[in-house]
Amino acid sequence: MPHVSMVLTPGFQFLALGVQAAFELANVLKGEEYYTLSIASVEGGPVTSSSGFAVPTTRLDDVGPVDTLLLLAGLVPPPPQEEATLDRLRAMARQSRRVAGLCTGAFLLGQMGLLDGCRATTHWSYARQMREAFPGVRVEDDRIFINEGAVWTSAGLTAGLDLAVALVEKDLGREIAGSIARRLVMHHRRAGGQSQHSELLELAPSSDRIQKALIFARSHLANPLTVEELAEVAALSPRQFARAFRAETGQTPAKAVEQMRLEAARLMIEETRHPMDQVARESGFLDLRRMREAFMRQYGQPPQAVRRLARSAQANVAR
């Protein structure tokens, strides 16, 4: 009977505790108590969340054998932990089948030395901080979650639920994992390789006119999408449109369109088996050469490498 222990640190975010729902629902769907659950901390006793509410916890050493160790932290990365604390976490991780750092909990794994030489992710807004703190870790800030052997990391708080469902899928199969996702009203179970955020949301223009032009561009990526075409959609002159667009988004229209094309192409590459030349045409790059150049500028690797990484991640989850 696998035991899942969620380990809290002071200042943890309550939402992170929601990952237990995936394991609870697995028990419901199995019709038996397949997983047992505990909420623990290194010292035990009440642990205060970022919102000021305390949660009772069991002392980690008293939890008993742990199959899956989940490290939960807060809205900001946890400060460096005392070496004695890290030693106790390392000891428990060694005894566990797998360990996961949810959102900023990945920083705890980094402090424990479990991410050295590995790929890892965390909330995109702290990716740079993680790279600086742990130069031996290959931080990928555009991933929902990453599985490196027995070590898992996830992006922002809700991505922890995607990771939890993936853990259940490893144990009990895709059918139960899919049922859990439906019960949790998740739009779909996101694969680990999916991007953390949308370029359209990232641009966040303030006026309806610029927003309308962006939505049009997103829906017509195969069009040339010149400044003149987008300006016409926004009912502005090309000069007015270019000036307003940069003021509201901080980017030129051409750069924004390229970012949306990259996002669309990457999703097609990761989630479909379309030939690369078809992906290039449908995302508006016209040909594979232009798409490859854009991928090298943005991601530092060609489209074929992105597809290989996505398939490798999917294979890891399926095992």
Side-chain angles (χ1 to χ4, degrees):
M1 184 180 295
H3 183 78
V4 179
S5 187
M6 292 163 284
V7 180
L8 308 185
T9 54
F12 77 94
Q13 218 294 319
F14 250 106
L15 183 59
L17 284 173
V19 299
Q20 66 184 325
F23 302 103
E24 287 184 57
L25 281 170
N27 289 344
V28 170
L29 293 167
K30 282 280 290 181
E32 61 177 302
E33 192 176 26
Y34 180 81
Y35 293 106
T36 56
L37 302 169
S38 66
I39 300 178
S41 64
V42 170
E43 299 298 335
V47 177
T48 303
S49 70
S50 59
S51 54
F53 298 100
V55 171
T57 65
T58 301
R59 186 170 175 265
L60 189 59
D61 293 343
D62 298 332
V63 168
V66 172
D67 173 83
T68 302
L69 190 68
L70 304 180
L71 304 182
L72 280 55
L75 293 174
V76 297
Q81 304 294 299
E82 295 181 0
E83 195 58 34
T85 296
L86 294 175
D87 282 342
R88 291 166 75 179
L89 289 173
R90 289 188 196 105
M92 184 59 74
R94 282 195 297 270
Q95 297 168 21
S96 304
R97 176 166 62 103
R98 57 195 179 190
V99 58
L102 275 57
C103 191
T104 57
F107 280 76
L108 294 174
L109 292 177
Q111 293 176 30
M112 293 160 64
L114 296 186
L115 298 180
D116 293 345
C118 297
R119 297 181 306 128
T121 193
T122 189
H123 192 285
W124 61 267
S125 63
Y126 296 115
R128 178 178 298 177
Q129 183 176 338
M130 191 171 184
R131 288 190 184 95
E132 293 171 352
F134 311 109
V137 180
R138 289 179 290 158
V139 181
E140 298 186 10
D141 55 340
D142 60 346
R143 298 296 181 184
I144 295 296
F145 62 82
I146 289 176
N147 173 210
E148 288 278 86
V151 180
W152 297 64
T153 52
S154 76
L157 290 167
T158 58
L161 202 51
D162 294 283
L163 184 151
V165 174
L167 292 175
V168 173
E169 183 174 322
K170 280 265 195 179
D171 296 339
L172 300 175
R174 184 167 296 180
E175 184 175 347
I176 285 183
S179 296
I180 291 171
R182 288 191 292 274
R183 291 286 189 97
L184 292 172
V185 199
M186 296 167 69
H187 176 58
H188 62 290
R189 188 187 72 71
R190 296 181 291 183
Q194 187 169 326
S195 179
Q196 286 191 34
H197 56 277
S198 164
E199 288 298 332
L200 194 58
L201 292 176
E202 190 76 4
L203 291 166
S206 56
S207 72
D208 291 342
R209 286 184 173 186
I210 303 301
Q211 189 174 64
K212 183 179 179 181
L214 280 170
I215 292 172
F216 174 86
R218 183 74 172 270
S219 303
H220 298 81
L221 289 176
N223 286 16
L225 296 178
T226 61
V227 169
E228 289 75 17
E229 183 179 9
L230 295 176
E232 184 177 350
V233 173
L236 293 169
S237 72
R239 185 175 179 180
Q240 287 175 318
F241 175 77
R243 186 168 57 245
F245 191 97
R246 191 176 189 104
E248 293 187 29
T249 69
Q251 294 188 17
T252 65
K255 181 64 175 176
V257 166
E258 180 177 272
Q259 292 298 312
M260 284 190 285
R261 284 177 169 150
L262 279 165
E263 181 181 59
R266 182 163 186 162
L267 285 174
M268 276 191 279
I269 287 168
E270 292 179 338
E271 298 181 1
T272 75
R273 294 184 176 274
H274 295 339
M276 290 297 179
D277 56 349
Q278 180 182 346
V279 172
R281 288 195 306 274
E282 292 188 11
S283 56
F285 283 108
L286 300 181
D287 59 49
L288 186 53
R289 179 185 62 80
R290 288 185 178 88
M291 184 172 76
R292 187 182 189 282
E293 290 173 351
F295 266 68
M296 294 301 296
R297 284 194 301 271
Q298 180 72 13
Y299 305 122
Q301 55 188 353
Q304 291 84 352
V306 172
R307 175 161 280 175
R308 283 196 298 270
L309 284 172
R311 288 180 177 174
S312 175
Q314 290 163 5
N316 284 336
V317 171
R319 286 196 199 109

